[in-house]
């Protein structure tokens, strides 16, 4: 009974992780600009890779490996949004524009220095 529960849990985590990873890949290909592509990669990609990592840790049936997988999952969840935010901010400051479909740009543009 215990093996069946573990097997079913691993299968659900694998299917869920693969689905989120596929959605992230589709978003990267289909979305119109850098910012929405980065959003797809950081959100869905993080969840997908985290679920796959948890599935691998659970499948190992070793507590030490499971704890390492959990630590990796929490590392993904904590670092991916921060890195995506910093990359998007740097891209915005470098001049990458939003797509036409974007409604509002909430970051102020850098002003050009005045020439006298």
């Amino acid at each position: 009974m215990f093996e069946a529960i573990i097997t079913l849990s691993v299968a659900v985590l694998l299917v869920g992780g693969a689905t989120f990873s596929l959605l992230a890949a589709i978003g990267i290909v289909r979305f119109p600009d850098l910012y929405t592509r980065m959003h797809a990669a950081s959100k869905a990609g993080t969840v997908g890779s985290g679920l796959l990592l948890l599935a691998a840790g659970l499948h190992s049936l070793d507590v030490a490996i499971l704890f390492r997988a959990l630590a990796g999952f929490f590392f993904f969840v904590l670092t991916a949004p921060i890195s995506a935010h910093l990359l998007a901010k740097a891209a915005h400051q470098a001049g990458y524009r939003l797509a036409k479909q974007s409604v509002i740009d909430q970051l102020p543009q850098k002003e050009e220095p005045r020439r006298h």
Side-chain angles (χ1 to χ4, degrees):
M1 181 68 178
F2 178 73
E3 286 184 23
I5 293 172
I6 295 294
T7 303
L8 183 61
S9 299
V10 168
V12 168
L13 288 171
L14 283 174
V15 169
T19 302
F20 274 102
S21 296
L22 177 65
L23 290 174
I26 291 171
I28 289 170
V29 172
R30 297 289 310 249
F31 283 153
D33 64 356
L34 173 78
Y35 305 104
T36 53
R37 290 176 183 161
M38 192 178 305
H39 180 77
S42 68
K43 303 297 185 232
T46 299
V47 173
S49 61
L51 291 176
L52 291 171
L53 187 60
L54 287 177
L58 191 60
H59 181 69
S60 70
L61 298 176
D62 185 5
V63 176
I65 294 174
L66 179 60
F67 280 138
R68 287 184 199 142
L70 285 170
F73 176 74
F74 286 120
F75 179 77
F76 279 155
V77 170
L78 292 176
T79 59
I82 295 168
S83 62
H85 171 77
L86 292 175
L87 286 170
K89 187 174 178 182
H92 190 273
Q93 289 175 350
Y96 285 92
R97 299 284 174 218
L98 297 172
K100 295 175 192 172
Q101 298 89 350
S102 297
V103 177
I104 189 169
D105 184 3
Q106 294 180 345
L107 283 177
Q109 297 294 325
K110 288 173 57 175
E111 291 185 19
E112 294 295 322
R114 291 185 184 176
R115 295 184 185 185
H116 297 287

